[in-house]
Amino acid sequence: MNNKEFKIQNSKLNIILIGGGGHCKSVVDVIEQQNIYTILGIIDTKENIGKKVLGYDVIGCDDDLKQFVSTCNYALITVGHITSNALRVRLFNLAKEVGFTLPVIISPLAYVSKHAKLEEGTVVMHHALVNASASVGKNCIINSKALVEHDVHIEEHCHISTGAIINGGVHVKANTFYGSNATCKEYVTIDGFIKAGSIVK
Ligand SMILES: CC(=O)SCCNC(=O)CCNC(=O)[C@H](O)C(C)(C)COP(=O)(O)OP(=O)(O)OC[C@H]1O[C@@H](n2cnc3c(N)ncnc32)[C@H](O)[C@@H]1OP(=O)(O)O
């Protein structure tokens, strides 16, 4: 390794991922492509400590979170959200409480307008598009190939699933699950559980 490579590797920021299931795997891929953070390990249930997710060690469970803050400033909630987001919300609040910073993670394969605003702990996955004047609250998942159009306002703790379309000016209330391939009329308000493939008018 030459000097330049060494400096680049050491200038990367450490992050831990909280939740070691399927969504975690997709987020690992985004973070690896982004090449800004070094994944120190995964937090999952006690039974899974010592196992690996895509080569990264499960290093602890929720109870251990506080001990990692001194070696790692950054964390992201990588538990998924389909039937309920209660666990994502609880872990987000816990991570904040113990002192982690929850960054915005954007895939290098996504497009996020410089006129859009994203809040802490939100992830924008591969090939998603967030257009001008859109805003996305904290701890949201904008999943692969989702389209969030101009002037959309998404409140906190929402999951906009794979391939979903949110047309211009729509307001998505907090904790909403918006299923894969769902679409909607422009400037409507969306709240709750929207099934995959729905049309919201
Ligand atoms: C990377 C990724 O994989 S992102 C994954 C994104 N996944 C999706 O978009 C699919 C989400 N699921 C759905 O939209 C629906 O389950 C469907 C459309 C696939 C099936 O719907 P239906 O056949 O009409 O089934 P039904 O209405 O009985 O609901 C089935 C499931 O939907 C979910 N569901 C339906 N309504 C609700 C609701 N109001 N709140 C929470 N969950 C609900 C539950 O998971 C339910 O499972 P259960 O059997 O444990 O209750």
Side-chain angles (χ1 to χ4, degrees), residues 82-83 143 159 161-162 177 179-180 193-196:
I82 296 185
T83 50
N143 223 325
H159 176 188
S161 299
T162 44
F177 169 84
S180 293
F193 183 92
I194 309 298
K195 278 188 185 180

Side-chain angles (χ1 to χ4, degrees), residues 81-127:
H81 163 194
I82 296 185
T83 50
S84 162
N85 70 350
L87 184 55
R88 274 186 67 82
V89 175
R90 185 176 72 74
L91 292 170
F92 178 86
N93 291 332
L94 180 63
K96 291 277 294 173
E97 207 179 288
V98 300
F100 283 105
T101 297
L102 289 97
V104 170
I105 301 283
I106 300 173
S107 161
L109 302 174
Y111 179 78
V112 175
S113 165
K114 67 175 184 178
H115 305 288
K117 187 174 165 240
L118 309 180
E119 287 186 41
E120 58 180 346
T122 280
V123 63
V124 182
M125 308 292 282
H126 296 323
H127 292 289

Side-chain angles (χ1 to χ4, degrees), residues 27-196:
V27 174
V28 164
D29 199 79
V30 167
I31 290 175
E32 287 178 345
Q33 291 302 312
Q34 201 189 23
N35 203 25
I36 294 172
Y37 297 92
T38 298
I39 300 169
L40 276 197
I42 315 279
I43 299 295
D44 205 90
T45 53
K46 261 197 184 87
E47 310 83 76
N48 287 332
I49 295 174
K51 293 185 183 166
K52 284 183 188 284
V53 177
L54 298 182
Y56 297 98
D57 293 322
V58 177
I59 54 176
C61 64
D62 309 359
D63 300 340
D64 309 323
L65 266 182
K66 200 169 184 165
Q67 80 187 53
F68 293 108
V69 184
S70 54
T71 45
C72 181
N73 290 331
Y74 295 96
L76 192 77
I77 309 308
T78 47
V79 169
H81 163 194
I82 296 185
T83 50
S84 162
N85 70 350
L87 184 55
R88 274 186 67 82
V89 175
R90 185 176 72 74
L91 292 170
F92 178 86
N93 291 332
L94 180 63
K96 291 277 294 173
E97 207 179 288
V98 300
F100 283 105
T101 297
L102 289 97
V104 170
I105 301 283
I106 300 173
S107 161
L109 302 174
Y111 179 78
V112 175
S113 165
K114 67 175 184 178
H115 305 288
K117 187 174 165 240
L118 309 180
E119 287 186 41
E120 58 180 346
T122 280
V123 63
V124 182
M125 308 292 282
H126 296 323
H127 292 289
L129 193 163
V130 181
N131 221 334
S133 297
S135 64
V136 183
K138 62 189 180 186
N139 197 29
C140 288
I141 304 166
I142 308 299
N143 223 325
S144 314
K145 292 198 168 183
L147 170 60
V148 175
E149 260 304 336
H150 65 88
D151 301 297
V152 164
H153 172 50
I154 299 174
E155 293 183 17
E156 62 194 23
H157 308 303
C158 293
H159 176 188
I160 311 306
S161 299
T162 44
I165 291 177
I166 306 191
N167 281 315
V170 166
H171 179 187
V172 181
K173 305 276 269 187
N175 307 306
T176 289
F177 169 84
Y178 190 78
S180 293
N181 214 28
T183 189
C184 59
K185 199 178 163 202
E186 59 283 5
Y187 293 97
V188 292
T189 298
I190 291 172
D191 193 10
F193 183 92
I194 309 298
K195 278 188 185 180

